[in-house]
Structures are given as structure tokens and as C-alpha cells.
């Protein structure tokens, strides 16, 4: 009110010159100061009341299930490697998978040569290339979560028996050997060992044929030997039948 | 080790290669370095002017957005820049940028406002003192400097941060994207504030007679500014 009175002009002559009774015009510091100007307590209270309150969801985010890490877009190199891998595995009948442990280069070369002699091709594959196409490549379920960065794949293209023996006797102490996929069947380490101990295809075929043809061959030999042995056998058979029960009729002839 | 196809398989996983950044639309002007700013404006008649501290107060209406460059320094408080500051900025930026591939542009004018000082040790009175130096007023939210060219924010940020630290008001290095993000976050914060009582609302409707304790400027400043200071945490 006092400031408004000081502004008023156009009064009578002796009212225009006017000194304020109190020095209200030079009061305190300016609005903009170098220092932090002291705030009225009411203003401080107002600022405290009107502070920002962040939204609080009903369920705190730490109680919600964690999002699985999103799949990255596959780039061209990974796709090329995967196609090569699929081709290599598709060609071969037997695939053995094992972990890759860092070995000196010359040891790796020696191992590859050794396996190559038994017609086993070794291929090193990165996990992200192999796991990406997971269920399409069947043997891959073996190495799901516990594998290190690389996995060595032996793709076997030769005969079953000698390759199995070679793998069983190979001198890799460090790399664990989870299993193999042979003819679309996944086998564990024991399974592979048992498979190696099986006789080969020709031998087993011969055995089956022999088992099946045992009875006809025996009959054939009986008939060829002569009637005496045959009649003796038949008499024996009739006596047994008569001994066991009278209800059964004696065979004719 | 090499796979059977001859393709070398890396040991530690496949590299994700990204494309290099595209600087096709950026032209570097003829004078890429910062212009020299005069200490005293070339005015026909030197005049002492009143203090008018309201040129520091509140948000800036000019030079708030990028024009030529991609990165800059944003003022987060009000203040005066004098010739010493200008020289420091000019020399530091001149040392740090590569004039063939980067450029820098002023967004503040040369010092135009005269500041008077009375000689030391004298009592009050005796009129207004003579002019001591000239300054430029900077309000909060104004860009001081813009830098652009064939460079990334990561390259530019270290020396911009060093310059920003030396300014008389709080400042941060920003890029176009980071400024936009800042503004967006502010807006989101304003929208999802759970407090039903905001400073703006209380002042506008004079709740509880609060305007007795507040300035008439608080209607526009809305509690985010106090003197030359910008209160970043408010609303």
C-alpha cells in the first residue's frame, strides 16, 4: 500500500513531494542474487508439499519375472557358418560331439591327423551358431547349457566299428565326451562304447541267418542221413506220447 | 582354428560388426573455429545502464534449440559471461577440435551489457561508478555453444564437459538426441506426478493465500526457478 501511495501522482502541490516515513524502498536484497537467497518459511513449506511423487506400481518390479534376454538379430556370418554345419552333418551318418578345451596347436593338428586316418572329420563350431538352430540339428541337445564357447564336432563318415574304437581309445584327457548321434539316435558315452563293442553288420547278418535257418538245416540233415535214424526217433516220440497221456491219438504213419 | 570350409572360426565368439556412422548431410563451414569476441562493443556512445538482473532470471526464450551443429553446451542456470570466459572457451575448443572435420559456432552474443564498479574503499553515494567491463547475460535452458562435424558425441563430450565445468553457471554437454530425451523425461515426469498438489495449481488459484509469500513472477516460473538458480529436481 505504501508503494502504491508513492506511485500516485497528480495530487495537489504539497502532496506531490512526499518522503516515506519508513525506509520501505531499500528493503533487503534483490530478487536475483549471487548467493542462494533465503526463502520465506511458507514458501519452503509449499515447495515441500508440492514435490514430485513418482508413480508406484501395485507390484514392485523386482517381484515380477525377469525378462529373458532378447535374441539378437543373426548376421550373415553366423548364417553361413550354420549352413555349412548343417551340410556337414547332413552328409555324415554318425556325429560325435565333445567340448573344446584350449590345446596347443600342434596337439590339435596331431589329433586331427589321427582321426582323419580313421576317416573322421573334425569341425569346430561356435555355440551360438550351433544352438541357434537347436532342434534342427539333433545331436545338439547334448551340449545345451554347460558347454564353453566352442564345441568340436567329429563327423564320421566311414564304417562304424573302427571309428568307434578310435574314439574310444583316443588320448584326449581333458575334453569331456558327452555323446554322439548315430543314425538319428542320440547315444551317451556308455551307449557309444556299447555300440563299439557290437559285432559288425556282416557278422550280425550272418548270425541272424544262421539262427533262423538252424531248424530247417537240422531237418535237412536228418532227412539226408538215412531212414534208420529217423524211424528210431519217431518210435521214441510215439512211446513218449503214449507214456504221457492216452487221450492223445498216436500220429499217423 | 580353421574349419573344413577354409573359413576361420574365431575362438572367442563371432564379432558383431556395425556400419560406420553416416555424415553425408553435414557440411563444414569455411571458418570452423570460434570467432573472436570483443571485450567492448563498438558502440558510438558508451553508456552506463541499470543493473536489470531480470535478464538472468527464469527460462530462456532464445537459442534453446540446435541450428547448425549436433552437440553443444546447455546452461542449467543463469549467469553473466565476460571476456575471460569467452577466451577460455574459444581457446579450449580451438585446441580440441580438428578444423578439417569439425566446426564450432557461438550461440551467445559478444558482451554488450556494461557493468559498473566503484573504486574500492569508498562509502556509498557519489553517483554511479564508471564502467568496469562488459558481460553477456545467459538464462537457463540456453545453448552457449554448438559443435558439429564428422564426430560422435563420445569424442566431443570430454572437452565440452571441461568447458562446461569452468562456466559461472551449471552447464552440461548435450547432443540433439540427449536434449530431446531430457525434455521428454521432464514432460513424462510432469505427467505422471502422483502428487495432486502442484506449485502451479497453488499459485494460480492462490490457495491458502500463498501469493502473499510468493512473487508475482512465480506464476510463470512455477517454482522451478529461484533467483538465477534452476531447480532441476522440481516437478
Amino acid at each position: 500500500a505504501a508503494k502504491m501511495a508513492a506511485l500516485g501522482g497528480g495530487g495537489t502541490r504539497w502532496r506531490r513531494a512526499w518522503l516515506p516515513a519508513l525506509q520501505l524502498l531499500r528493503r533487503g536484497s534483490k530478487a536475483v542474487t549471487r548467493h542462494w537467497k533465503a526463502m520465506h518459511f511458507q514458501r519452503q513449506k509449499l515447495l515441500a508439499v508440492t514435490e514430485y511423487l513418482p508413480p508406484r506400481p501395485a507390484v514392485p518390479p523386482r517381484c515380477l519375472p525377469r525378462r529373458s534376454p532378447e535374441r539378437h538379430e543373426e548376421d550373415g556370418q553366423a548364417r553361413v557358418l550354420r549352413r555349412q554345419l548343417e551340410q556337414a552333418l547332413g552328409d555324415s551318418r554318425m556325429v560325435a560331439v565333445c567340448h573344446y578345451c584350449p590345446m596347443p596347436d600342434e596337439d590339435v593338428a596331431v589329433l586331427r591327423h589321427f582321426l582323419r586316418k580313421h576317416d573322421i572329420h573334425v569341425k569346430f563350431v561356435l555355440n551360438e551358431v550351433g544352438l541357434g538352430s537347436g532342434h534342427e540339428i539333433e545331436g545338439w541337445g547334448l551340449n545345451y547349457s554347460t558347454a564353453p564357447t566352442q564345441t568340436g564336432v567329429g563327423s564320421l563318415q566311414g564304417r562304424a566299428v573302427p571309428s568307434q574304437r578310435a574314439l574310444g581309445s583316443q588320448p584326449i584327457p581333458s575334453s569331456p565326451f558327452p555323446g554322439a548321434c548315430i543314425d538319428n539316435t542320440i547315444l551317451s558315452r556308455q551307449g557309444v562304447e556299447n555300440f563299439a563293442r557290437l559285432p559288425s553288420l556282416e557278422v550280425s547278418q550272418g548270425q541272424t541267418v544262421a539262427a533262423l535257418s538252424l531248424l530247417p538245416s537240422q531237418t535237412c540233415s536228418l532227412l539226408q542221413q538215412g531212414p534208420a535214424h529217423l524211424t528210431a526217433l519217431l518210435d521214441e516220440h510215439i512211446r513218449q506220447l503214449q507214456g504221457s497221456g492216452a487221450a492223445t491219438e498216436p500220429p499217423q504213419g | 582354428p580353421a574349419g573344413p570350409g577354409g573359413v576361420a572360426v574365431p575362438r572367442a565368439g563371432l564379432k558383431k560388426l556395425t556400419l560406420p556412422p553416416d555424415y553425408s548431410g553435414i557440411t563444414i563451414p569455411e571458418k570452423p573455429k570460434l570467432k573472436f569476441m570483443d571485450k567492448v562493443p563498438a558502440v558510438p556512445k558508451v553508456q552506463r545502464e541499470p543493473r536489470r538482473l531480470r535478464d538472468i532470471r527464469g527460462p530462456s526464450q532464445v537459442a534453446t534449440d540446435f541450428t547448425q551443429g549436433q552437440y553443444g553446451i546447455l546452461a542449467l542456470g543463469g549467469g553473466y559471461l565476460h571476456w575471460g570466459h569467452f577466451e577460455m572457451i574459444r581457446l579450449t575448443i580451438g585446441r580440441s577440435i580438428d578444423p578439417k572435420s569439425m566446426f564450432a559456432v557461438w550461440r551467445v552474443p559478444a558482451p554488450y551489457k556494461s557493468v559498473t564498479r566503484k573504486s574500492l574503499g569508498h562509502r556509498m553515494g557519489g553517483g554511479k561508478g564508471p564502467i568496469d567491463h562488459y558481460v553477456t547475460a545467459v538464462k537457463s535452458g540456453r545453448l552457449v555453444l554448438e559443435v558439429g562435424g564428422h564426430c560422435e558425441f563420445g569424442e566431443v563430450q570430454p572437452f565440452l564437459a571441461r568447458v562446461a565445468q569452468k562456466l559461472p553457471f551449471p552447464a552440461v554437454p548435450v547432443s540433439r538426441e540427449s536434449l530431446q530425451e531430457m525434455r521428454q523425461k521432464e514432460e513424462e515426469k510432469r505427467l505422471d506426478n502422483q502428487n495432486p498438489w502442484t506449485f502451479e495449481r497453488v499459485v494460480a488459484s492462490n490457495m491458502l493465500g500463498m501469493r502473499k509469500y510468493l512473487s508475482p513472477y512465480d506464476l510463470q516460473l512455477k517454482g522451478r526457478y529461484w533467483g538465477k538458480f534452476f531447480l532441476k529436481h522440481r516437478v
Side-chain angles (χ1 to χ4, degrees):
Chain A
K3 281 187 204 161
M4 299 302 164
L7 287 173
T12 49
R13 213 177 32 180
W14 47 90
R15 275 187 184 275
R16 265 179 246 146
W18 179 85
L19 263 177
L22 303 162
Q23 291 290 327
L24 295 169
L25 299 174
R26 298 183 57 115
R27 178 175 179 245
S29 48
K30 306 274 183 209
V32 178
T33 48
R34 269 182 267 248
H35 58 90
W36 177 270
K37 197 165 145 201
M39 258 189 217
H40 198 284
F41 190 57
Q42 290 285 9
R43 194 195 161 104
Q44 284 181 39
K45 285 197 284 188
L46 177 63
L47 288 180
V49 165
T50 54
E51 266 170 7
Y52 170 69
L53 290 178
R56 292 186 65 185
V59 180
R62 63 190 171 89
C63 298
L64 292 168
R66 214 156 33 153
R67 263 184 11 198
S68 58
E70 59 264 7
R71 299 269 316 256
H72 302 286
E73 211 182 75
E74 207 183 49
D75 53 11
Q77 197 187 6
R79 256 179 284 149
V80 163
L81 289 174
R82 181 166 312 136
R83 217 179 304 135
Q84 284 182 347
L85 176 67
E86 279 168 10
Q87 273 173 1
L89 292 179
D91 292 340
S92 57
R93 266 183 63 196
M94 293 201 322
V95 174
V97 180
C98 52
H99 297 294
Y100 173 74
C101 300
M103 287 196 295
D105 284 339
E106 50 268 16
D107 284 356
V108 170
V110 161
L111 181 70
R112 290 181 76 149
H113 178 66
F114 173 78
L115 292 172
R116 191 74 184 81
K117 279 196 296 188
H118 296 273
D119 201 15
I120 299 174
H121 298 271
V122 177
K123 188 176 167 68
F124 293 98
V125 173
L126 286 174
N127 270 5
E128 58 189 23
V129 169
L131 285 178
S133 64
H135 26 271
E136 291 139 32
I137 303 180
E138 281 166 15
W140 227 263
L142 301 168
N143 266 354
Y144 218 9
S145 53
T146 54
T149 324
Q150 284 200 38
T151 316
V153 174
S155 83
L156 317 168
Q157 287 172 354
R159 290 171 36 134
V161 175
S163 12
Q164 289 311 310
R165 279 207 212 110
L167 269 180
S169 65
Q170 66 192 341
I172 303 178
S174 48
S175 71
F177 181 64
C181 172
I182 299 175
D183 281 341
N184 291 338
T185 327
I186 297 177
L187 296 170
S188 69
R189 192 198 184 95
Q190 284 79 29
V192 167
E193 282 167 14
N194 294 342
F195 185 76
R197 270 186 239 116
L198 285 176
S200 76
L201 194 64
E202 292 82 8
V203 171
S204 48
Q205 276 174 351
Q207 283 180 349
T208 327
V209 165
L212 286 173
S213 62
L214 179 64
L215 206 56
S217 65
Q218 275 184 344
T219 324
C220 187
S221 65
L222 262 182
L223 289 171
Q224 277 173 354
Q225 270 169 10
H229 189 55
L230 188 59
T231 43
L233 279 174
L234 284 170
D235 286 337
E236 178 85 38
H237 185 58
I238 291 165
R239 233 174 285 127
Q240 271 183 3
L241 284 173
Q242 281 174 350
S244 61
T248 51
E249 283 186 9
Q252 296 186 358
Chain B
V7 178
V9 177
R11 273 180 199 258
L14 286 173
K15 251 196 264 191
K16 306 268 188 278
L17 302 163
T18 53
L19 292 168
D22 182 30
Y23 296 130
S24 49
I26 299 167
T27 47
I28 299 165
E30 279 174 7
K31 296 198 180 170
K33 291 203 176 179
L34 287 170
K35 205 172 57 165
F36 174 77
M37 296 293 212
D38 288 320
K39 232 176 176 170
V40 172
V43 161
K45 184 172 155 196
V46 283
Q47 209 172 24
R48 293 175 296 191
E49 51 180 285
R51 203 149 305 174
R52 253 190 277 118
L53 292 169
R54 54 184 177 269
D55 55 7
I56 302 298
R57 193 181 199 183
S60 172
Q61 308 294 331
V62 297
T64 45
D65 279 311
F66 284 92
T67 49
Q68 290 179 51
Q70 291 118 47
Y71 319 108
I73 299 181
L74 185 78
L76 292 175
Y80 287 127
L81 289 174
H82 56 70
W83 187 72
H85 295 124
F86 280 103
E87 281 300 284
M88 178 273 293
I89 297 174
R90 189 176 68 87
L91 294 172
T92 315
I93 300 290
R95 261 202 310 272
S96 319
I97 64 165
D98 173 28
K100 286 177 220 157
S101 60
M102 292 150 75
F103 65 92
V105 157
W106 286 114
R107 290 308 298 276
V108 288
Y112 58 87
K113 180 174 177 178
S114 53
V115 164
T116 58
R117 282 246 191 286
K118 287 182 91 63
S119 35
L120 189 61
H122 286 261
R123 300 207 167 177
M124 293 283 107
K128 196 164 164 79
I131 295 177
D132 188 44
H133 58 273
Y134 287 81
V135 292
T136 328
V138 171
K139 291 197 181 186
S140 31
R142 186 189 182 135
L143 286 171
V144 174
L145 192 66
E146 264 185 46
V147 176
H150 306 318
C151 51
E152 292 294 305
F153 192 40
E155 298 171 39
V156 166
Q157 207 180 8
F159 64 82
L160 283 186
R162 266 180 269 140
V163 166
Q165 206 178 21
K166 291 189 186 170
L167 294 174
F169 40 80
V172 281
V174 290
S175 66
R176 284 189 196 239
E177 295 85 20
S178 81
L179 183 64
Q180 205 185 12
E181 209 184 289
M182 214 189 284
R183 294 217 171 120
Q184 208 179 1
K185 269 208 192 111
E186 246 177 80
E187 186 60 32
E188 272 174 24
K189 208 172 155 183
R190 196 176 68 81
L191 288 171
D192 65 20
N193 188 9
Q194 300 300 304
N195 197 347
W197 311 113
T198 52
F199 192 96
E200 195 182 336
R201 194 179 154 196
V202 170
V203 167
S205 44
N206 193 16
M207 294 182 178
L208 294 174
M210 269 296 131
R211 283 189 67 177
K212 184 166 181 236
Y213 310 103
L214 304 174
S215 154
Y217 288 97
D218 282 314
L219 276 169
Q220 279 93 45
L221 303 179
K222 294 171 192 169
R224 299 200 80 195
Y225 299 87
W226 180 239
K228 64 172 187 169
F229 303 102
F230 170 58
L231 311 172
K232 209 164 178 238
H233 55 276
R234 294 278 317 161
V235 168

